[in-house]
Amino acid sequence: MTTKATKRAPAKKAAAASETLTVTDNRTGKTYELPIVDGTIKATDLRTIKVDDDDFGMMTYDPAFMNTASCRSAITFIDGDVGILRYRGYPIDQLAEKSSFLEVSYLLNYGELPNKTQLSEWTQWINAHAFVDESIRSVVEGFRHDAHPMAVLQAAIGGLSTIYPESKELGDPDNRMQQIVRLMAKTPTIGAWAFRRNIGRALLNPNPERSYASNLLHMMFDESGIEYNFDPRIERALDILLILHADHEQNCSTSAVRSVGSSETDVYQAASAGVAALYGPLHGGANESVLKMLRRIGSKDNIPDFVQGVKERRELLMGFGHRVYKNYDPRAKIVHKTAHEVFEVTGVNPLLEIAVELEKIALEDEFFVARKLYPNVDFYSGLIYEALKLPAEMFTVMFAIGRMPGWLAQWNELVGDSEQKISRPRQIYVGYDERNYVPMSKRK
Ligand code: CMC
């Protein structure tokens, strides 16, 4: 096992004498020696750097956490410069090709691949909890028929804590795993219900005999009394998409889950914060935005004009760019391949032609090359979801179902990490100094 805060970080070991950072404060002329561990210094060590005894001490300023590690994690490793993504050490392409989503969710949450018995028990455990309490059904049905399904999912996931008050006992690892299983099991049921609410159909119950992906498809698309037959290639494609979404280290929604979880609230509230963060168009909501963008472009002939608009900063090329990947997102390659497999069953989505041409033009254009902007996972995933006849609003719900095991594994790691405390960033105050209250009669 390696610990890597940066690519250059050495394997975990106590800081050798030479592994220090010497800092000279030119305000005072004083020199400080700060230990380096795993390629990082502790931000709190900087607090010893003071102008005088009254000084609070040096802080770092890092909006959007561009260069701050907030935790030690053994779950997911990304090297964005070369396009590597591994869950618990296993490359994403091997997992997407050879494993199943439930196997990956076990891997993320237990740290090792399951053997046959473990996978079978895990699957049964999850299937046994897929039913969702009637009170949550009423919550879903209480929303307007056109409620965005991500907002419905967010509310319902948070609402689960009303049913499982024992989830507040964070100190018991078995109890935590019980809640993890519940969330893994119930999220697809709630996601499917949010969709059914939109299309005005009865909310269907899960069938514990079916596979995870198959259950999700049936709960979304079956008509009362009529069960669809889904091509196994469609089920497999959906399972692959869920695997690709399963974790992505300290992204916006995972940080939200960790930050909310650090207050020792229950996991349902923490997970609902993850859903809320994922909803945004710069994060999971990008797959919905990609489809809208491709539709707006409308034909290959309009691509040059659209690209010009992006270069003139009038808009973003959705599905492109990533905070961490400065190379091809390894998930995007797999999604692209999977899209072709799905289209063999469903027929080609006409928007694919526009997407492929747009990618080609962007990858050759100096604007995108210079900024290392490549397609991310969301560039092609929406095309697959559309081929499955899902409306754009549901794309991010599918992402949330896939991301749930990652959020849960990260939450569990946080709760068991003795170095963690309640999350609480500092600020640089730039407002007024103290001033006296002005009575209303004297205000302009
Ligand atoms: N289209 C056009 N220009 C872009 C784009 C884009 N999609 N992404 C980044 N840039 C430009 C940006 O304007 C900046 O240019 P300059 O240096 O000249 O000011 C440069 O590239 C660096 O970008 P940044 O804004 O510093 O990058 P960031 O790390 O803050 O943002 C991002 C990452 C994903 C939010 C951003 O690339 C973006 O908005 N992409 C479109 C939305 C999207 O596809 N999101 C899904 C991300 S993958 C799924 C997930 O993990 O949620």
Side-chain angles (χ1 to χ4, degrees):
M1 197 179 293
T2 53
T3 51
K4 297 187 181 182
T6 71
K7 284 194 296 174
R8 296 170 305 286
K12 185 182 172 187
K13 58 187 175 189
S18 58
E19 288 184 338
T20 59
L21 179 72
T22 303
V23 180
T24 302
D25 184 345
N26 293 323
R27 299 171 301 175
T28 59
K30 279 195 200 157
T31 294
Y32 302 81
E33 198 167 326
L34 309 177
I36 298 175
V37 178
D38 296 330
T40 64
I41 57 162
K42 278 198 164 171
T44 45
D45 284 349
L46 294 172
R47 291 272 292 280
T48 53
I49 303 177
K50 296 178 177 205
V51 177
D52 54 43
D53 287 346
D54 293 336
D55 187 356
F56 179 77
M58 183 71 77
M59 295 191 300
T60 54
Y61 177 53
D62 190 8
F65 304 112
M66 301 281 287
N67 195 38
T68 297
S70 63
C71 61
R72 304 170 65 85
S73 182
I75 301 172
T76 290
F77 174 73
I78 301 175
D79 185 337
D81 289 338
V82 286
I84 287 176
L85 168 61
R86 298 183 199 131
Y87 300 158
R88 302 282 189 187
Y90 295 103
I92 190 65
D93 50 327
Q94 291 183 23
L95 293 169
E97 192 190 332
K98 297 178 181 152
S99 74
S100 69
F101 178 61
L102 281 190
E103 197 180 340
V104 164
S105 63
Y106 182 102
L107 171 69
L108 289 169
N109 280 284
Y110 284 102
E112 297 296 337
L113 285 169
N115 63 28
K116 209 170 167 192
T117 311
Q118 288 164 331
L119 181 59
S120 159
E121 286 172 1
W122 177 243
T123 305
Q124 281 173 31
W125 196 9
I126 288 176
N127 283 349
H129 285 278
F131 283 85
V132 172
D133 191 86
E134 287 301 306
S135 64
I136 300 296
R137 185 192 292 267
S138 308
V139 167
V140 173
E141 286 176 332
F143 282 103
R144 282 169 52 128
H145 71 91
D146 57 352
H148 196 292
M150 272 302 269
V152 175
L153 183 70
Q154 193 261 334
I157 295 278
L160 286 173
S161 77
T162 61
I163 306 164
Y164 307 111
E166 74 277 16
S167 61
K168 298 191 173 14
E169 304 301 323
L170 299 184
D172 173 4
D174 291 340
N175 182 33
R176 295 206 299 270
M177 197 52 82
Q178 176 69 62
Q179 313 314 321
I180 286 173
V181 165
R182 283 183 173 138
L183 268 166
M184 279 296 305
K186 294 177 198 306
T187 306
T189 310
I190 297 172
W193 283 2
F195 172 58
R196 304 284 289 197
R197 173 80 189 131
N198 283 165
I199 58 173
R201 291 218 182 127
L203 313 187
L204 300 180
N205 279 325
N207 178 347
E209 302 300 313
R210 293 201 185 103
S211 74
Y212 201 84
S214 162
N215 224 342
L216 179 54
L217 286 167
H218 281 280
M219 285 189 290
M220 288 192 293
F221 294 113
D222 279 356
E223 293 176 41
S224 303
I226 306 174
E227 285 188 10
Y228 279 108
N229 269 330
F230 293 98
D231 189 301
R233 286 173 290 178
I234 296 286
E235 280 181 30
R236 179 64 191 144
L238 181 53
D239 209 56
I240 290 173
L241 284 178
L242 297 177
I243 292 172
L244 298 182
H245 284 137
D247 195 45
H248 214 229
E249 53 119 301
Q250 307 312 314
N251 55 85
C252 176
S253 56
T254 302
S255 305
V257 169
R258 278 183 173 263
S259 185
V260 171
S262 76
S263 74
E264 299 189 2
T265 184
D266 63 71
V267 68
Y268 302 102
Q269 302 304 332
S272 80
V275 178
L278 193 71
Y279 193 177
L282 297 187
H283 193 9
N287 50 19
E288 184 178 340
S289 308
V290 169
L291 253 279
K292 288 181 179 154
M293 173 189 78
L294 293 175
R295 263 199 212 102
R296 198 155 43 84
I297 295 173
S299 97
K300 284 202 307 188
D301 298 342
N302 298 332
I303 293 176
D305 274 357
F306 172 79
V307 169
Q308 192 54 34
V310 173
K311 287 157 69 171
E312 288 169 9
R313 315 270 181 176
R314 279 185 271 121
E315 51 193 322
L316 288 174
L317 172 45
M318 299 310 286
F320 256 67
H322 201 276
R323 171 63 56 79
V324 181
Y325 293 119
K326 301 302 168 195
N327 201 316
Y328 216 101
D329 178 340
R331 302 169 301 172
K333 277 188 199 144
I334 302 167
V335 177
H336 193 167
K337 182 166 164 273
T338 308
H340 284 285
E341 287 158 9
V342 167
F343 296 154
E344 279 173 20
V345 183
T346 62
V348 174
N349 185 332
L351 295 177
L352 177 69
E353 220 192 4
I354 302 175
V356 169
E357 183 66 13
L358 183 54
E359 176 186 341
K360 187 169 159 279
I361 291 179
L363 290 182
E364 286 167 1
D365 191 296
E366 183 51 26
F367 178 91
F368 299 93
V369 174
R371 289 169 180 77
K372 298 187 178 167
L373 300 173
Y374 292 86
N376 59 51
V377 68
D378 288 324
F379 193 66
Y380 287 106
S381 63
L383 290 173
I384 300 183
Y385 292 134
E386 191 173 71
L388 302 186
K389 302 219 169 357
L390 283 168
E393 292 73 29
M394 273 302 286
F395 299 173
T396 319
V397 172
M398 306 306 279
F399 193 156
I401 295 169
R403 182 55 55 88
M404 190 53 78
W407 288 335
L408 296 168
Q410 299 270 354
W411 166 80
N412 208 11
E413 188 177 67
L414 162 98
V415 174
D417 182 348
S418 59
E419 282 191 332
Q420 291 291 339
K421 289 172 172 246
I422 187 167
S423 209
R424 209 304 188 179
R426 296 276 174 186
Q427 66 167 13
I428 301 170
Y429 178 68
V430 294
Y432 288 106
D433 269 344
E434 183 176 340
R435 50 188 183 153
N436 287 327
Y437 180 80
V438 182
M440 188 66 79
S441 58
K442 297 214 167 132
R443 290 181 218 163
K444 290 186 188 144

